[in-house]
Amino acid sequence: MSRIDVLNGNKAAAWGAALSRPDVIAAYPITPQTPLVEYLTQFVADKELDCVMSEVESEHSAMSVLTGASLAGSRTFTATSSQGLALMYEPYFRAATLRLPVVMAIVNREMISPQTVWGGPQDSLTLRDAGWIQIYCEDNQEILDMIIQAYKIGEDPRVLLPVNICYDGFYLSHLSERVEIPPAKLVDNFLPPYQPKHIKLDPQKPMAVDPLTTGDLLMDYRQKHLRAQQNALEVLKEVTIAFQQQFGRDYFGAVEEYRLEDAEIVLVSLGSMTGAIRDAVDLKREQGVKVGLLKIRLLRPFPLLDVQKALGNKKIVGVIDRNVSFGHNSGILYQEIRGALFGLAKPPNVKPFIGGLGGEDLRVDDFGKVIDQLKDNIDGMPVPYWILRKKR
Amino acid sequence: MEKEKDYLVPVGEGIYKVNTGDWRTHQPRLDAEKCIACGICFLYCPVFSIFKVNKQFKIDLSYCKGCGICAYECPHQAIAMIEEGADNEQN
């Protein structure tokens, strides 16, 4: 029997990590770190979780410790946010290119300047091309469930890649919801211990790690890495089904469609804003507007075919970004969606929306206005359209 | 660079075969008559290409990059640096 509790996103993530039985956790405990690491430390102190807890002096060291631990065959977990992720950039890339299935929660927080601690996925979206798998969550139950699934996906021999479980700072990390905590036995059954075959450090058998490698061989490793990313699309589908069968909760794979069948206007979302968009879609449907929602769960690997299938025959698509792509006059998700739909026979008219930066609220009525704009005056809309609540 | 085994990641033993002697422009030549077997060249060689065989020192050119440190440090000028291809004599 699952235990039902009221948990904030960080506590849900801590439960997801603890149930996955990591061997080593290494994390920097101070801002921009969230209480997630504090919860895990408490689990270890209370002997509820049997693992090595390494409190390191920086995020760079956290990922470096986990690189070594994962090379030695451990299941590993860490978490970070914003500037911490930025400091981790070098070992972040290396964990992916060494094909180490580390799982890291990224509590999405806005990047400075100016000084900010509030939510927004600018931090992890900026690092979307560093070789990791990136999954974005809508609610606290999804955080817990996806951390368990992240190990299953990342450790699959067809994949062998590190996985980020990303969720919006404060909107999920610090707000509480009803969460089901599955029994440990069920998770153990779903997630057997990690047994790497591609790498394993062994003092009895000295070996080289990362020798200087020329371009022709480096391209060979990159080709394998790209293939592994593509394999992850299929593996995620399998894991979604297996999880649904054993735990009873369906996450629909790489994207989730909401009221899309006959929709003419579609909003595309990422992360915690999705709930408000669902409500806005329901309200507009009551007024007879044919509107739907596509929630992107998996950003890397990018589910190209799923997006084409969901949006290819629609008229109008509005992409809501809680981030910016400097130099492109839009958000990052907008470009991903626009790129996926380019070249289709009759691609939809795709428009960029930006809002909610620095943790600003994105409310149901904001999305109502977005839908009105797309429906009534798509040609007259500013590009990008900024969702602003206060007049400056 | 040649791959010895098909690895998924650059971690393992005997991953690549790299002949670092390939890019040498000068090679050391040891004059056995001048050599007093003091071992200074052996100590200074940065790529461990000098070996002691039967109380005498020998230079293995496989990984020698021709840096010339052995010739510079030899107190008896027993090692000369010869341009690659200057003659066909073997060391």
Side-chain angles (χ1 to χ4, degrees), chain A residues 99 205 208 210 220-221 224, chain B residues 3 6-7 9-10 12-13 16:
Chain A
R99 308 287 300 276
K205 208 175 145 194
D210 258 355
D220 185 50
Y221 290 120
K224 287 173 177 165
Chain B
K3 221 173 178 183
D6 194 33
Y7 281 100
V9 285
E13 51 164 348
Y16 314 128

